[in-house]
């Protein structure tokens, strides 16, 4: 391992001095059931330390407590550094993937489950945790086709639902718009949005009563089949049994997936290679 990987005054250089030619193997193990994610980043990190990596699992697999993830082979100093740098990628991503899988399995197949909150993460985390959510079976885009997402701030700058949709009417892609009841009754917002070309209505209040009222209003006007109805806003695990019975097409769950606890891992040196 090149010394520039660590600061030159790192104590581990002194601790492992003279052991450069001693090659060991170490294992990374889950200590709890999980859905595996984060392998790409963890393997890249291990390779950057000059370690040989042997993978025991694939991303998306469900594993049991005690199951091996990776075997790492290399000198003592590299393995000591790997314990600090490799586990975090798998631990955090697998926690997100496990939560995503759980949410997906708790809702009926007719509801598209989305995690769009990755866009609010620090840039360096986004790719890893977005992929982790997808590995867990949750979509990371509200619809698969190209779309324009018009949130509350766009609507405020254009002065309302109608003005916002008219401003983007000539642009390609589906029009997805947030409804929050800021411009009148939320059912009136839904009517304005649909009349002006929105194809997905996102009730972003977190209030079940709001999305129920919008769904009922659309049915009453004979419009329900013309749009997809989405719901978001601080949705938690305890809300899912209620949400499962709602007349919605899309549920957007952000923080409850992305803030999932890290999956616990164990790093064990197994002996000479």
């Amino acid at each position: 391992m090149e010394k520039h990987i660590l600061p030159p005054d790192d104590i581990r250089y002194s601790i492992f001095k003279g052991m450069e030619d001693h090659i060991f193997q170490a294992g990374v193990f889950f200590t709890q059931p999980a859905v595996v994610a984060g392998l790409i980043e963890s393997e890249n990190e291990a390779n950057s330390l000059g370690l040989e990596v042997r993978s025991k699992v694939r991303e998306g697999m469900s594993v049991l407590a005690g199951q091996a993830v990776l075997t790492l082979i290399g000198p003592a100093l590299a393995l000591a550094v790997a314990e600090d740098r490799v586990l975090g990628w798998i631990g955090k991503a697998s926690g997100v993937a496990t939560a995503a899988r759980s949410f997906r399995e708790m809702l009926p197949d007719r509801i598209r489950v989305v995690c769009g909150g990755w866009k609010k993460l620090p840039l360096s985390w986004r790719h890893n945790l977005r992929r982790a959510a997808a590995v867990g079976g949750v979509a990371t885009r509200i619809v698969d086709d190209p779309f324009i997402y018009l949130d509350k701030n766009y609507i405020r700058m254009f002065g309302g639902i109608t003005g916002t949709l008219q401003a983007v009417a000539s642009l390609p892609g589906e029009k997805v718009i947030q409804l929050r009841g800021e411009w009148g009754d939320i059912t009136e917002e839904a009517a304005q949005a649909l009349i002006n070309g929105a194809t997905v209505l996102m009730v972003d209040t977190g209030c079940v009563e709001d999305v129920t009222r919008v769904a009922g209003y659309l049915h009453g006007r004979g419009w329900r089949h013309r749009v997809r109805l989405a719901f978001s806003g601080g949705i938690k695990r305890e809300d899912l049994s209620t949400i499962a019975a709602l007349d919605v097409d899309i549920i957007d769950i952000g923080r409850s997936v992305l803030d999932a606890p890290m999956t616990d891992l164990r790093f064990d040196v197994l002996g000479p290679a």
Side-chain angles (χ1 to χ4, degrees), residues 201 203 211 214-215 218 224 227-231 247-250:
L201 308 182
V203 177
V211 74
V214 170
L218 294 173
R224 180 66 180 90
V227 292
R228 278 164 286 179
L229 186 56
F231 181 50
D247 178 17
V248 295
D249 304 297
I250 303 165

Side-chain angles (χ1 to χ4, degrees), residues 3 6-14:
K3 288 192 174 184
L6 288 171
D9 60 348
D10 193 291
I11 190 63
R12 285 171 288 190
Y13 286 126
S14 298

Side-chain angles (χ1 to χ4, degrees), residues 84-101:
D84 292 340
R85 298 187 184 177
V86 171
L87 274 65
W89 289 112
I90 303 172
K92 178 56 183 174
S94 296
V96 169
T98 302
R101 179 75 53 83

Side-chain angles (χ1 to χ4, degrees), residues 127-224:
H127 180 72
N128 174 253
L129 297 188
R130 182 183 185 184
R131 196 179 75 248
V135 162
V138 168
T140 58
R141 289 168 53 86
I142 196 164
V143 294
D144 291 327
D145 294 329
F147 67 93
I148 299 173
Y149 191 83
L150 304 164
D151 71 13
K152 63 183 185 298
N153 292 318
Y154 284 71
I155 298 167
R156 290 168 185 169
M157 288 187 280
F158 281 108
I161 303 287
T162 298
T164 302
L165 285 163
Q166 289 178 350
V168 301
S170 63
L171 300 178
E174 295 195 54
K175 310 306 188 294
V176 182
I177 192 161
Q178 274 190 356
L179 306 180
R180 294 168 56 88
E182 293 185 6
W183 302 89
D185 189 90
I186 200 164
T187 59
E188 296 173 3
E189 289 187 347
Q192 291 178 42
L194 188 146
I195 290 167
N196 285 281
T199 56
V200 179
L201 308 182
M202 167 59 81
V203 177
D204 186 38
T205 65
C207 178
V208 168
E209 180 182 281
D210 287 338
V211 74
T212 300
R213 287 179 59 231
V214 170
Y217 176 80
L218 294 173
H219 276 293
R221 298 296 296 267
W223 290 345
R224 180 66 180 90

Side-chain angles (χ1 to χ4, degrees), residues 253-267:
I253 303 167
R255 193 164 58 246
S256 292
V257 168
L258 297 172
D259 279 357
M262 292 179 64
T263 300
D264 191 46
L265 298 163
R266 187 177 79 247
F267 184 94

